[in-house]
Amino acid sequence: MLVTLGDYVNRGPDTCAVLDWLIEYQKNAKLVALRGNHEIMMLRARESEDEYRMWIESGGDRTLASYSTIFRSATLGDIPERHWDFLEQKTRRLYQTKTHFFVHASAFPDCTLEEQPDFMLFWEFFNNPAPHESGKIMVCGHSSQKSGLPLNIGHAVCIDTWACGGGWLTCLDVGSAQYWQANERGETRTDWLDNPVARD
């Protein structure tokens, strides 16, 4: 099973291809795609001129550029319905297993996962959160670790390692605590978290 933590749009050179890859992968494998704050901004861009402008200023211009042709710049109307459907219908707020829960940004420690407000799940930064009441380990993104290394505090681990800024894209096996990384230069590396996460 592959759990992706959101922000597929706005921060890379080819959003169109990223969404196509996720849609195709989901057809043949178990994919749990979480929604990030940038997907929320993209969806809201259809609601008003202010929301559209906010999205464009937060990286939406690069997303639209990925739908452009050599003849003209793209508009919202050039984004295919399958991409809107994926963002609206196929992405989730969070996901949990027996020992872990996965969110884009963060979670209140004393609030059940089902009752978490959107601003915590999508917008809050990783500020040394307390252990969650469920006893499960939180795995999240959103807060860029510019060191290029995942931030692991035992009961929570942030694997956003600044891929959007020239850093690394990180994939973590929560069972073994091994992680793999790749960057835009084609380099790869692997290591283990300092404090291994619990096994499923």
Side-chain angles (χ1 to χ4, degrees), residues 65-77:
S66 74
Y67 295 93
S68 298
T69 68
I70 59 173
F71 302 106
R72 67 180 181 84
S73 298
T75 66
L76 288 176

Side-chain angles (χ1 to χ4, degrees), residues 1-156:
M1 177 188 294
L2 177 64
V3 181
T4 54
L5 300 179
D7 281 1
Y8 320 114
V9 305
N10 295 15
R11 294 302 190 189
D14 200 351
T15 291
C16 181
V18 170
L19 293 181
D20 277 340
W21 188 92
L22 289 166
I23 291 166
E24 286 304 309
Y25 187 85
Q26 198 169 50
K27 291 178 181 178
N28 303 303
K30 179 66 173 175
L31 172 69
V32 176
L34 302 188
R35 184 177 296 181
N37 61 303
H38 286 282
E39 284 77 47
I40 290 173
M41 285 190 282
M42 182 172 171
L43 290 167
R44 289 178 179 171
R46 301 175 297 173
E47 297 174 4
S48 70
E49 188 60 36
D50 286 344
E51 295 285 1
Y52 176 81
R53 187 165 39 259
M54 183 181 302
W55 176 58
I56 290 296
E57 293 171 355
S58 300
D61 55 340
R62 284 172 280 176
T63 294
L64 273 186
S66 74
Y67 295 93
S68 298
T69 68
I70 59 173
F71 302 106
R72 67 180 181 84
S73 298
T75 66
L76 288 176
D78 293 308
I79 299 172
E81 190 56 39
R82 69 181 182 279
H83 288 186
W84 292 118
D85 179 70
F86 176 80
L87 296 175
E88 287 185 310
Q89 306 298 327
K90 303 299 192 298
T91 58
R92 303 187 192 189
R93 297 177 77 239
L94 58 87
Y95 178 71
Q96 60 181 313
T97 66
K98 291 179 181 178
T99 56
H100 295 78
F101 68 94
F102 302 82
V103 294
H104 174 66
S106 193
F108 277 127
D110 55 354
C111 180
T112 67
L113 294 176
E114 294 75 18
E115 296 174 326
Q116 293 289 331
D118 284 354
F119 79 87
M120 283 299 291
L121 294 179
F122 304 120
W123 302 94
E124 183 62 34
F125 289 104
F126 192 91
N127 293 317
N128 197 28
H132 189 260
E133 64 171 16
S134 67
K136 297 180 180 184
I137 296 168
M138 179 175 76
V139 180
C140 66
H142 186 64
S143 299
S144 296
Q145 305 305 307
K146 295 183 180 178
S147 67
L149 300 174
L151 177 57
N152 181 27
I153 59 173
H155 58 271

